[in-house]
Structures are given as C-alpha cells and as structure tokens.
Amino acid sequence: MYRTALRNVLAHKARLLMTTLAVLLGTAFVSGTLVFTDTLGSALKSQNARSFTGIAVSVSDDGAVSNGYSRGSRKGVTGHLTEQTRQAIAALSGVAEARGVVSGFAGIADHNGALIGDGFSTTGTNYVPDTGGQDTRYPLAAGRGPQHPDELALDTRTAQKGGYRVGDTVRVAVNGPVMQLKLTGLLHVNDPRITAGGSLAAFDTATAQQLYLAQGRFNEIDVRAKAGTDDQQLLDQVRRLLPGDGDFTAQTGAALAAEQDRRITESTKGLSASLLVFAGISLFVGIFIIANTFSMLVAQRTKELALLRAIGASRRQITRSVLIEALLVGLLAATGGLAAGVGIAAGLRAILNGPGQANLPDGPLIVTASTVASVLLVGVLVTVVAAWLPARRAARIAPVAAMSNGDQPATQKSLLIRNTVGTLIAAAGAGLLLRGAGSHDTNTVGLGAGALLIGVFVLTPLLSRPLIALLAPLLQRLYGSPAKLARENALRNPRRTAATASALTVGVTLITALTVVGASVNRAVDRAAGNDLRADYAVAMQNYAQLAPEVAPQIAATHGVSASSVLRQVPVSVGDDDDRWITGVNPAAIGQLVNFTQVGGSLDALTKGQLLVDRSTATYDRLSVGDSFTGSFPDGSTGTFTVGGIVADNSVVNGLLAPDALLAPHSAGQGPDRVLVKGAHGADAALKQALQDATGGNPLISIKGQADLKKENRQMLSAALNIMYGLLGMSVVIAVLGVVNTMAMSVFERRREIGMLRAVGLDRRGVRRMVRLESLLIALLGGLLGVGLGILTGWAGNRTIAGSFKDLTTVVPPLPMLGFVAAAALVGLLAALWPARRASRLDVLDSIRAS
C-alpha cells in the first residue's frame, strides 16, 4: 500500500499541482512571516546591544518634562538630575565618564518649509563631545559637532532628504517659532527611531537644556565604568547620590538592554501573531482545495480502489494509502513553501530598506530550526487533515463497485446528516453573532461569525441549487445550450461545487466585512466632524505633543480670527488612585467653536466657573448637576469643582470641561493640546496663511480645516484597510487556484462526456463556453454568499465598536458590493481559461474511448 500511495502521487502529478501550489503559498506566508520577524527581532536586538555598549549604569528622570508633553502627575516631585548630580557621579572612583543627556523633539524643515520625517520620531538631543571632540553615540560623518546656540548637527539621512550640506542654514522648531541654525556636522545614527524614517537634531548641551528642560538639568545620565568595576556595586553607589525627593529609574546597562530586548521580542511576537492570522486564513482556504482534489481523485479511482478491496486490502489500508499521498504532497509543498518564504522575507526586507522606506537595521536572515519544523508540520498537518474525509470515503467503497462505472452518489442519509449538522452550526453561529452584537463583545462576534461561516460551508450544497437556479436562466437566454449544460454540470456534484465556491467565500466575506466597517466608520467620523465642530481650523502639533504656551495668544491676536479657544488637558487626582482628565477651554468662545446639546443643568456653567460634563462621563463617574469633588493639580495644589451642566457626547471635546483660567496656572507649564479657530470670513486661504505666520512657520504645527480632518481620518482608515486587503489577497489567489483545479479535474473526468457532446454537434467554442459558464456559476455562488455573510459580519462588528464612534450606523456601499460580485465573476472566467481551452482541444475519438 505504501508503494501504491507513492505510485499514485507520481501518476497524478498534474492533477495534484494546484493542491501543491495552494499549500506552498499558504506555508510560504507562514515561513515568510516567521523568518522576517525573527530577522527583524535579531537585527533590532543587535542594534540595541550596540546602543548600550559601554554603559554600565543609566539613570533617567521620570519627572522631567521635555517641551511640556509629559502627561504624568508630578505632585511632590522636586528633585531632578542636575549638573551637580552628574559631577557627583563622575567623581566616584569606579566611573570613567558620566554623560548628561537631554532629549525632546525637533522638527526639521526642508527648503520648502515642509517637515522632514513622520512627526513622531523627530528627535532632538544634546551633543556631548569627549576629549577628542566627538560624541561616541553619534560618530561624525562630516564637519564637527555644534558648539554655540546658533548651530546644530543632523543625521545623514535627514540631511540627504532635505538637501542640506555642512554650512547650510537649517529651519528647526520644537513647539514654538522656527529657528534658523547653521549646520556644522553630519552624524551617523543607529537609533531605530531615526533609521526607520525619523530625524535627529543635535544641539550643544546648554541650548538643548534651554529648549527642553531648564539650565543645568538632564533627562538622563549615562555612566561608563572603569575596567574591573562591578556594575551592580556601581549602581548602588549611584543610587545613593540621587536626590531623595525625585522620581528616578536607575538600572545597569545590561538590565536596560535586557528590558529593551524583552520589548523587542514582545513587539515582534505581536507582529508575527497578526500576520499569522492572515496566513491561517490562507491555509484554511487551502483546506477546501485539498479536500476537493482528493475527493475527485478518489471518485476517479473508484474502480481501482474497489479492486484493491476485492483482492484483500482492508479499509484501514485504503485510508492509510490516501493519507500517505496527502502526507507526501504536504511535505513537498511545505518544503517549497519554506524556501519561498525565505525569499519573501529577503524581498520584504529589501523593499523596506529602499529609498524613502523604513530602513530596517542590517543583519543576516534568521531561519531557525523551530521555523523549519513549524512550516513543515503546518504543511503536512493541513494537507493530511483536509484529506481525512476523502480518505474515509475511499475506505467505504465496496468491492462490488469494481463492476460499476462512475462516481458513487451520496446517500440521502448522508445528505440529511450534513444538512442537519450545517443548520445547527449556522444557527449557533447566528445566535452568538447576535448576542455579541447586543453585548458589544468582539470575541463573541468573532466566534459567532466563524461558526456561521462554517455552518454555511456545510450547507452550501443545499444552498447551491436555488442560487444557481436563480442565476442560470439569464445565462441560458444569452448563451443557449452551453449555459444549460453548465448549469447541469454545476449541480451534478453539489459537494464539489460547494467546496470550490466556499474557498472563494472566505476571502469575499472578510473583504466585504472590512469594507462595511470602513464605510460605516468614515460616515460616522464625517458626520461628527460636520455636526459637532463649528470651528474653521484646528491648530495642533503633528506629533500630538503640547503647543508652546505663547502659541494660543498669538493665534487669538491674528487678523481675521473672530473666536479661538485652547483645549488643554490636565490630570486632576481625586483620591489615591483616581485621575480625572479635565479639558480647559475658553468659556466665552467655545460655544462658537463646538456644538453642544444640553442634557441637564446650564450651558452657561463654564462662564460661572463650573464644569460641563458629557453624558457618558457623567454616567461612568456617577456625576449629576450640583455634585462637587476636590482634586489635586499636577503642581500639588488643590481645587474644588462643581458640575454645572451635562451635555450630549461630542466627538471634538469630551469628558470634563472647565474654564482654562482655572487649569492653566496649575498645569506645570504645559501648553495647550490644540487651539480651535473661527474665522471672521470662514475658512479661507488668507486665514490659514495668517495662522501659519502667527505660529512662526513651524513645520511641526499643523493647521487643518474640517475638510482636512475628514481627509486625514479617511486616509488613516484607508491605509489600514489596504494593508488588510493586501494580506487577504493571498487567500483569494488560493481560491482562484481552487477554481482552476476543480475545473481542470472536472474536464479530465468528463472527457468521455465532452467527446460525446462534440460528436453530436457541440463545437469547440461551445465546449469552451460551457466550461467558462460553469466556472462563472461556481464563482458567483461563492461571491454572493461571501457578500451576504460579509454584510452581516460587518453589521455585528460595527455594533461592537459603536461606543468608540458617535452615531455609528451600518453603511453598505452599493458600488463596492457590486464590485465584489463582479470581481468574483471575473475570477471565475479567468480561472476557466486554461481548463476550457484544454476541454475544447480534446480528441473526439480518444475521449469517447476513455473509460
């Protein structure tokens, strides 16, 4: 039987090709994911190790506020890392060097005034030269380090993007007006934040302290030890020198590197898990192809298997022979998938290291033994599991079938059992879906959607008849007899048709659900921006840091501004472990900038020095009009707040609102998060330019109108959807292979029938049309089921996120839905090109003689 299994694999190489390719693609996805994330993790860890080379102890000031963007409460924190602390540490007997580090953000503008980088990794720091005049963290590529307040150095990538050379004047900004500084040097940088698309601006230490902290203060002190000094003992000595009233974290360099390695491992595992979900979807689709292929092979070998039973082969031996075939196919495909995955990982890294991309750290491709074992195991397991039912069906072939011809039809009992099981699974899935939608439970919705999908798969043979009967009449009117033959062929073996269509249904369902959720969220965001926001512009930092304190008065004084209000979020401690964020606004102007709907109390509460609270916050914190509470500000002082009004939830401002005059003096120097602006003549180019001029042309400051905000939200959502569409594309490709495979094998087993049709007058064109229309019907069946299930799943998914978006309703965009059905039809037609051509070229006499 082992020899028989090997012979069958070799004898049916062409018919197993698509199955092998489907498994190969799925395992290549798994292999590529594991190799890429292992390679990325190894490279990041190697880079991380280089970053901490020579650092014996590192001390960071957790209470330091750079540019006012730290959001932690600093009540009671007065001690900081100062020059005196650094000198005291440097004086320890085991210390070779104690470097004070200052850090924050700094936006670099190109020659057109646009920001270089993504806004989130625009890093600023101090350049600390050693006795040789160089900072060992950032080796010089050209020029020298900055030495005066009007100088800076840039990393080489940022200088190249901006077209800057040593000696040029560079426009630089933090959260205030732009500075014009002379570029004195270019730096080599290994920081992954910078190499992945960020930027680095280095100032002399005094300038960096003035920009980010205060004179003589540091965010961090890095200690290099003398040879033979124990790091742990040195750490203990350093800790004794730190101010007792500060908020510090002191660690050895080894411990800090290990902590960073742990975070890298967690991040790469998260990335790997996310990608493997889509790889699993592709392999799930492949199961249908594998099961379909082996079912057809078993049907085509009915007489052969019956003869084996007749000469003494047991049912167990027949089952084992089919499973061995599957094992060999799975092993071959998984081996190819492993090799293809390594290539995919190498290609992906090359793409991401291309011009303008992420610039990942260098390192060798990592192919671990666990990756090899996992890919081979997954490939073999998926193939064998998918072939198990066909193998069981092969074992049930009776010896007497050797004297019959053709496929053994399914019994009424088996069809009844299948339909009953499918109905129960689908009903359970629908129930879970509705329950999860009602309770806003994402996990329950996911479980219900999966169960419903499986139930529909089981029921697809039953559902195929009415759906195909609905589609066939139109085709018959257009194409006549070939369309009628295509309909009969599609319905002849509903299980085969169902398995082929189901492979396509998976991808269409998920893509449809994503589209429905995306359209619904876009509609909700657009509606909220139009209904809740009355301001013409919102001014904010691109990296979501705080604006400089002087920006708001500058905007208010700008010509053409009729009303403006800061939005300043300040944490207020209520009790020991309860922090409530209160947003400071301008009571006189906020009503002109934001639409409020009164629920209780008075909308004039802010002008009376009281709080406005949105309905959700009032419910969650159990606050009513007239309630009061006492809280502690970040500077340690306390205040009493009274609820004066409750308003409907608003997408622009939410939570607790208070007059900014009550919060600003106690916000520890933090600037506002945003400034809302209303123009005397509405939103126009003149007002926008005036606002840009008022904010000093800072490239980090964004000035966005309602249309800009809507466009930005749509772009972010579209980018996320496009990534998921791309990842789901593999499952669609595998489904297409399934259609090709089914049609090709169907042509092979019906070659005698096709020969008879040719003999009685059906020409080659009619044969091609018959095969193409059969494929079209199968693809449309999968597409229609997928669109229907996707709409239902999208509705349930919307229900789970309804709390995150105001007035979220389900939107089913008609054009994309029709597009998905049309795409499924196109898939069916394209997948049938080769099988149809093959069918039309069969020799008539040879086909009629075929058994």
Side-chain angles (χ1 to χ4, degrees):
M1 297 304 295
Y2 292 113
R3 287 196 298 270
T4 300
L6 180 59
R7 178 186 62 80
N8 285 330
V9 170
L10 296 176
H12 301 117
K13 295 188 293 293
R15 279 178 268 176
L16 289 169
L17 176 62
M18 293 300 174
T19 296
T20 304
L21 188 56
V23 179
L24 187 150
L25 290 176
T27 51
F29 203 154
V30 174
S31 173
T33 295
L34 295 176
V35 172
F36 176 72
T37 52
D38 286 345
T39 299
L40 177 62
S42 174
L44 288 174
K45 288 178 181 178
S46 176
Q47 188 178 68
N48 180 56
R50 291 195 298 270
S51 299
F52 291 102
T53 299
I55 297 179
V57 175
S58 179
V59 184
S60 60
D61 185 352
D62 298 333
V65 181
S66 296
N67 292 321
Y69 68 89
S70 174
R71 290 186 171 274
S73 174
R74 296 167 51 231
K75 178 182 177 181
V77 175
T78 56
H80 298 291
L81 295 179
T82 63
E83 176 61 22
Q84 290 75 19
T85 307
R86 189 197 68 78
Q87 291 178 2
I89 293 174
L92 292 173
S93 58
V95 173
E97 179 190 12
R99 178 194 293 121
V101 177
V102 183
S103 59
F105 62 82
I108 311 300
D110 61 19
H111 290 292
N112 297 321
L115 178 69
I116 300 175
D118 58 12
F120 294 96
S121 301
T122 53
T123 305
T125 189
N126 61 321
Y127 190 83
V128 187
D130 56 16
T131 54
Q134 292 205 32
D135 189 327
T136 54
R137 298 172 299 167
Y138 310 119
L140 281 167
R144 61 170 176 81
Q147 299 173 355
H148 304 289
D150 60 346
E151 297 178 343
L152 89 159
L154 294 177
D155 67 282
T156 54
R157 285 192 177 94
T158 299
Q160 182 179 12
K161 290 177 184 177
Y164 290 119
R165 298 180 180 180
V166 173
D168 288 350
T169 298
V170 181
R171 290 164 53 83
V172 188
V174 287
N175 59 350
V178 170
M179 301 174 288
Q180 306 279 347
L181 305 180
K182 181 181 178 182
L183 181 62
T184 63
L186 303 179
L187 311 174
H188 290 300
V189 180
N190 287 323
D191 189 333
R193 295 175 301 172
I194 311 305
T195 59
S199 63
L200 177 76
F203 310 92
D204 69 279
T205 297
T207 301
Q209 289 174 333
Q210 180 181 358
L211 289 173
Y212 299 125
L213 294 169
Q215 207 63 37
R217 282 183 54 191
F218 301 102
N219 296 94
E220 184 179 322
I221 295 177
D222 294 332
V223 181
R224 185 166 60 86
K226 293 179 180 178
T229 303
D230 181 78
D231 290 354
Q232 188 59 48
Q233 291 181 355
L234 184 59
L235 174 63
D236 294 338
Q237 295 175 9
V238 168
R239 281 175 172 166
R240 287 194 287 269
L241 295 177
L242 299 177
D245 54 354
D247 186 9
F248 308 110
T249 298
Q251 294 176 279
T252 62
L256 192 58
E259 173 65 17
Q260 293 297 323
D261 282 352
R262 184 187 64 79
R263 293 180 181 178
I264 291 171
T265 299
E266 289 180 354
S267 298
T268 53
K269 280 184 177 179
L271 174 63
S272 178
S274 300
L275 293 176
L276 287 176
V277 169
F278 292 93
I281 293 170
S282 298
L283 288 168
F284 180 65
V285 171
I287 287 176
F288 292 95
I289 300 174
I290 300 164
N292 219 16
T293 301
F294 278 93
S295 293
M296 296 175 76
L297 285 174
V298 166
Q300 293 168 13
R301 287 158 42 198
T302 297
K303 293 181 69 174
E304 174 190 332
L305 295 171
L307 283 171
L308 289 173
R309 290 293 314 281
I311 62 176
S314 66
R315 289 188 172 187
R316 179 176 296 179
Q317 286 177 313
I318 296 295
T319 301
R320 191 179 298 160
S321 73
V322 176
L323 292 179
I324 290 172
E325 290 180 48
L327 186 148
L328 293 173
V329 171
L331 187 60
L332 176 65
T335 303
L338 177 64
V342 174
I344 290 172
L348 183 59
R349 187 175 67 169
I351 291 171
L352 292 176
N353 279 329
Q357 299 302 316
N359 294 311
L360 302 179
D362 295 329
L365 284 174
I366 306 298
V367 184
T368 64
S370 62
T371 294
V372 174
S374 298
V375 172
L376 295 179
L377 180 62
V378 166
V380 170
L381 189 62
V382 166
T383 311
V384 171
V385 167
W388 183 75
L389 282 177
R392 294 272 295 176
R393 196 174 298 125
R396 290 199 295 268
I397 295 175
V400 73
M403 295 181 291
S404 66
N405 191 17
D407 193 7
Q408 301 298 302
T411 64
Q412 288 297 117
K413 180 180 178 181
S414 67
L415 291 175
L416 178 62
I417 292 174
R418 178 180 182 129
N419 293 337
T420 302
V421 171
T423 301
L424 292 174
I425 295 175
L432 287 172
L433 198 70
L434 294 174
R435 180 179 178 182
S439 60
H440 309 292
D441 186 345
T442 304
N443 293 330
T444 303
V445 166
L447 184 62
L452 179 60
L453 197 62
I454 293 172
V456 170
F457 292 161
V458 178
L459 287 172
T460 301
L462 180 66
L463 299 173
S464 62
R465 290 189 175 275
L467 286 174
I468 290 177
L470 181 66
L471 297 169
L474 176 61
L475 297 178
Q476 285 182 227
R477 282 196 295 270
L478 293 174
Y479 301 109
S481 296
K484 182 178 180 181
L485 291 170
R487 173 182 178 276
E488 292 175 354
N489 290 334
L491 294 176
R492 179 184 303 179
N493 194 325
R495 285 183 171 179
R496 182 185 305 167
T497 298
T500 308
S502 296
L504 189 58
T505 299
V506 176
V508 176
T509 297
L510 295 174
I511 290 173
T512 301
L514 287 175
T515 302
V516 169
V517 172
S520 303
V521 170
N522 273 332
R523 171 76 64 83
V525 171
D526 286 352
R527 185 184 298 164
N531 295 340
D532 294 343
L533 182 64
R534 299 178 63 186
D536 294 316
Y537 290 105
V539 181
M541 298 292 290
Q542 290 195 44
N543 57 359
Y544 299 105
Q546 272 72 43
L547 293 160
E550 64 270 16
V551 169
Q554 291 169 347
I555 290 175
T558 300
H559 176 73
V561 173
S562 62
S564 67
S565 173
V566 301
L567 300 181
R568 184 197 312 272
Q569 286 194 297
V570 177
V572 174
S573 299
V574 182
D576 295 332
D577 301 315
D578 185 13
D579 276 356
R580 292 178 179 173
W581 287 89
I582 301 181
T583 302
V585 299
N586 179 359
I590 193 64
Q592 303 175 54
L593 303 166
V594 178
N595 281 321
F596 289 118
T597 302
Q598 181 176 341
V599 173
S602 172
L603 291 178
D604 295 329
L606 293 172
T607 61
K608 301 174 183 178
Q610 298 176 332
L611 298 179
L612 271 184
V613 186
D614 67 43
R615 181 163 36 199
S616 295
T617 304
T619 301
Y620 182 81
D621 289 333
R622 299 179 180 178
L623 294 174
S624 302
V625 175
D627 289 351
S628 298
F629 62 88
T630 300
S632 299
F633 292 108
D635 64 356
S637 61
T638 60
T640 300
F641 303 92
T642 301
V643 177
I646 297 177
V647 296
D649 291 354
N650 189 289
S651 61
V652 181
V653 288
N654 50 54
L656 307 172
L657 306 183
D660 188 57
L662 296 180
L663 303 181
H666 309 290
S667 63
Q670 294 185 24
D673 296 81
R674 284 186 292 170
V675 178
L676 300 181
V677 179
K678 185 77 171 176
H681 305 290
D684 55 29
L687 176 59
K688 188 171 185 178
Q689 184 60 52
L691 293 173
Q692 289 175 341
D693 294 340
T695 55
N698 189 328
L700 272 172
I701 294 179
S702 66
I703 302 171
K704 296 177 181 177
Q706 292 189 19
D708 298 321
L709 295 172
K710 291 179 181 179
K711 182 179 178 181
E712 182 181 45
N713 291 328
R714 285 182 173 274
Q715 287 177 338
M716 289 191 294
L717 185 58
S718 296
L721 290 177
N722 288 337
I723 291 173
M724 287 189 280
Y725 287 153
L727 293 172
L728 288 172
M730 184 66 76
S731 66
V732 177
V733 171
I734 293 175
V736 172
L737 294 178
V739 179
V740 175
N741 191 48
T742 298
M743 298 310 302
M745 294 187 70
S746 179
V747 166
F748 176 82
E749 73 177 16
R750 300 202 317 255
R751 63 194 184 279
R752 184 176 184 183
E753 173 190 322
I754 293 171
M756 292 295 294
L757 290 172
R758 289 291 313 282
V760 297
L762 187 64
D763 60 11
R764 290 188 175 185
R765 182 180 181 184
V767 171
R768 289 196 298 269
R769 182 170 291 171
M770 176 186 70
V771 175
R772 287 199 298 265
L773 292 177
E774 180 184 351
S775 178
L776 174 65
L777 287 172
I778 293 173
L780 282 174
L781 173 63
L784 288 172
L785 288 175
V787 168
L789 289 171
I791 291 172
L792 181 60
T793 303
W795 166 81
N798 281 336
R799 296 280 294 174
T800 65
I801 61 174
S804 302
F805 298 94
K806 182 183 177 183
D807 298 329
L808 179 67
T809 57
T810 298
V811 176
V812 181
L815 289 180
M817 300 301 107
L818 292 174
F820 296 150
V821 175
L826 182 62
V827 162
L829 292 173
L830 293 177
L833 289 178
W834 175 63
R837 183 172 183 272
R838 182 184 178 193
S840 68
R841 295 168 66 89
L842 289 174
D843 184 89
V844 176
L845 295 179
D846 288 342
S847 299
I848 293 174
R849 286 198 302 267
S851 60

